[in-house]
Amino acid sequence: MKCINLLIILVLVIIVTSCKQTPGKSGEGFNGHNAPASPIYKRELAKQIESNNNGGLTYIFNKYVKIEGKDYLDIIIRGDEIEAKGLILVKNWHKLENLKRTGGKGYSGAELRNLELDIIDRDAEPVFIYKDLEEIVD
């Protein structure tokens, strides 16, 4: 009986450990010591996005947030060398009208296929701004 309990605990520990995701796989800014809102994290994220602008990244919607009166998409960016969090400022709601109307409800986990961004203040504190996307895929 003790062996079975020990085996169950071991299996649970392995499952929990393997399911843990760590945003940011590479780069100086993603070393775990920098918050996604920090300038160094955003600079590294900008570099990664620019170096993968040929479609090597996947953008996953988490939630819609409003910060200091501005609208943002909270997303996860994934690629071969990156898994990071990001906030995308939305000024133009083209192709995002339903997402805005619902406040993002029902879209969590959806892919923002071929998301296009403008990145301003790259060298200081980058701001990621929504330009366009192909479609939202649930």
Side-chain angles (χ1 to χ4, degrees):
M1 188 67 167
K2 288 182 182 181
C3 288
I4 293 174
N5 288 340
L6 184 59
L7 182 60
I8 291 171
I9 291 171
L10 181 61
V11 168
L12 289 174
V13 167
I14 291 171
I15 290 171
V16 169
T17 304
S18 67
C19 291
K20 184 177 179 182
Q21 293 183 349
T22 306
K25 293 180 183 177
S26 70
E28 177 186 335
F30 298 132
N31 64 13
H33 297 96
N34 297 298
S38 73
I40 192 168
Y41 188 100
K42 290 189 219 178
R43 284 192 297 269
E44 181 62 30
L45 183 55
K47 287 180 197 172
Q48 293 288 332
I49 289 172
E50 289 173 338
S51 69
N52 286 287
N53 65 0
N54 61 353
L57 297 176
T58 302
Y59 300 91
I60 307 296
F61 177 78
N62 280 326
K63 61 186 172 182
Y64 163 74
V65 293
K66 207 167 197 57
I67 301 171
E68 297 179 4
K70 296 180 181 177
D71 298 315
Y72 293 88
L73 304 179
D74 178 316
I75 66 169
I76 293 176
I77 300 113
R78 289 187 182 135
D80 291 339
E81 298 296 320
I82 180 177
E83 181 167 327
K85 289 184 155 200
L87 285 177
I88 309 302
L89 177 62
V90 181
K91 297 178 180 181
N92 159 24
W93 288 94
H94 176 68
K95 297 184 184 174
L96 297 173
E97 296 89 353
N98 286 333
L99 190 144
K100 182 180 183 182
R101 182 181 52 76
T102 65
K105 293 186 178 24
Y107 287 90
S108 184
E111 178 184 349
L112 304 174
R113 184 163 292 156
N114 294 324
L115 179 65
E116 294 178 29
L117 304 172
D118 274 331
I119 304 172
I120 59 171
D121 293 333
R122 284 176 176 82
D123 297 327
E125 186 168 346
V127 176
F128 305 96
I129 302 173
Y130 169 78
K131 278 177 52 174
D132 198 7
L133 58 80
E134 181 181 323
E135 64 182 331
I136 299 174
V137 181
D138 262 336

